[in-house]
Amino acid sequence: MVDNIYNITEIVGTSPDGTDTAIANAIEEASKTLHNLDWFEVQSIRGNLSEGHVVDWQVTIKIGFRHEAKK
């Protein structure tokens, strides 16, 4: 078994469609520049309101990504 070393980054995903979509949006965006994504942890959930209705969800997540072994 190989020992893994991780970095952690924090990112906020948003969506008018709910928290699951906001999380997916954050992970999709992070995967464009980060490699070896292994896990995420939800830190907080917020929402924007307009006239008493939820119009947007904001989810802050931490994403862990593995360091690549030197070749």
Side-chain angles (χ1 to χ4, degrees):
M1 182 170 169
V2 177
D3 292 332
N4 291 319
I5 305 299
Y6 292 91
N7 269 9
I8 299 172
T9 190
E10 190 171 84
I11 190 167
V12 178
T14 63
S15 174
D17 300 323
T19 57
D20 287 352
T21 305
I23 292 167
N25 289 345
I27 293 169
E28 182 179 338
E29 187 64 27
S31 71
K32 292 178 182 177
T33 56
L34 301 174
H35 304 286
N36 302 319
L37 301 179
D38 272 358
W39 55 267
F40 74 92
E41 176 182 346
V42 173
Q43 295 296 297
S44 65
I45 298 173
R46 293 175 302 283
N48 290 320
L49 301 173
S50 178
E51 298 180 12
H53 299 285
V54 176
V55 294
D56 188 63
W57 293 91
Q58 299 174 343
V59 180
T60 302
I61 63 172
K62 287 186 178 181
I63 299 178
F65 57 99
R66 270 179 291 110
H67 282 253
E68 292 184 9
K70 289 187 178 183
K71 296 179 182 179

